[in-house]
Amino acid sequence: MNEIESSTPQARGPADHSVREQIVEAAGEHFSHYGYDKTTVSDLAKAIGFSKAYIYKFFDSKQAIGEAICTQTLSQIVAAVDEAVANASTPTEKFRRLFKTLVATSVSLFFNDRKLYDIAAHSAGEGWPSALAYGQRIRQTLTEIVREGREMGEFERKTPLDETVHAIYLVMQPYVNPLLLQYNLDLVEDAPTQLSNLVLRSLAP
């Protein structure tokens, strides 16, 4: 399952789902033009033609609306990573594809649509549940890859598994965290391959 869980309330039926989509769409437009910080729930209410109170029936805060957008975006990245990893035949290749796909998909989504980047960066900076769940999902995939590599004899087994995964995740942070990714765009062509080589050499038995 590649969905990132959201902290927003679940829809109660088709009509509710449609209204939620309207709100999220309007929010996306406003965030795109004015930024997340400068957009208020009142602005969204006026844009859709709903009352502010009515919007609060579906989302309990502006953050909850941002969470819905962020969750959709991060789930797309996870889906791309899951597909890339599933098509690899060895743990070594799975790690290479994980890193490469993670960076390529993030750059494509975040920097071709500024509003998605702004929300993702805000999410990471504020420690929103969607951002925390995303990081946990990447670490989970890393854990599965490293564990499989150890079982198949491709990776060393002396270092505790959690320590190994944590260290690899730290290496990937500049390309996983949207706040840091913006400062490393000039490196995204070569960094995933070079850092993958470094990590894989350290994992050799």
Side-chain angles (χ1 to χ4, degrees):
M1 186 172 180
N2 54 41
E3 289 294 320
I4 298 295
E5 292 185 3
S6 172
S7 63
T8 57
Q10 296 300 307
R12 294 180 292 276
D16 290 337
H17 183 71
S18 177
V19 172
R20 285 172 59 87
E21 287 184 338
Q22 282 183 268
I23 295 171
V24 170
E25 183 176 352
E29 291 297 321
H30 269 72
F31 294 159
S32 180
H33 285 94
Y34 307 109
Y36 175 82
D37 288 328
K38 294 184 179 180
T39 298
T40 66
V41 174
S42 295
D43 293 331
L44 301 179
K46 291 176 183 177
I48 309 171
F50 293 158
S51 69
K52 185 177 176 180
Y54 188 64
I55 289 182
Y56 279 127
K57 288 180 61 179
F58 298 89
F59 296 96
D60 59 14
S61 64
K62 184 179 73 170
Q63 177 180 324
I65 301 173
E67 282 271 18
I69 296 174
C70 195
T71 295
Q72 290 174 357
T73 304
L74 296 178
S75 290
Q76 290 181 59
I77 298 174
V78 169
V81 167
D82 283 350
E83 181 178 0
V85 169
N87 291 327
S89 58
T90 67
T92 295
E93 184 59 24
K94 286 181 180 181
F95 176 69
R96 290 188 184 280
R97 292 193 181 191
L98 164 69
F99 205 164
K100 182 177 181 180
T101 303
L102 183 63
V103 174
T105 308
S106 297
V107 169
S108 177
L109 284 173
F110 291 148
F111 297 100
N112 286 333
D113 191 333
R114 189 65 191 183
K115 75 173 183 294
L116 293 181
Y117 170 73
D118 287 343
I119 298 170
H122 198 95
S123 170
E126 296 297 318
W128 285 3
S130 55
L132 297 177
Y134 174 65
Q136 181 58 38
R137 186 65 177 79
I138 298 302
R139 287 192 294 272
Q140 177 185 335
T141 302
L142 274 174
T143 299
E144 293 168 358
I145 291 172
V146 174
R147 182 181 290 116
E148 181 183 354
R150 291 183 170 195
E151 292 172 352
M152 296 181 66
E154 289 187 29
F155 301 156
E156 61 89 13
R157 302 182 184 183
K158 295 180 180 179
T159 311
L161 180 62
D162 58 347
E163 181 180 326
T164 299
V165 171
H166 181 65
I168 296 172
Y169 190 70
L170 289 178
V171 171
M172 298 173 66
Q173 266 296 294
Y175 306 94
V176 173
N177 188 320
L179 282 173
L180 302 178
L181 179 59
Q182 64 176 323
Y183 301 113
N184 293 283
L185 292 177
D186 292 341
L187 304 174
V188 296
E189 288 295 324
D190 299 322
T193 297
Q194 293 175 352
L195 291 176
S196 290
N197 290 341
L198 178 65
V199 168
L200 290 169
R201 283 196 295 272
S202 74
L203 291 176

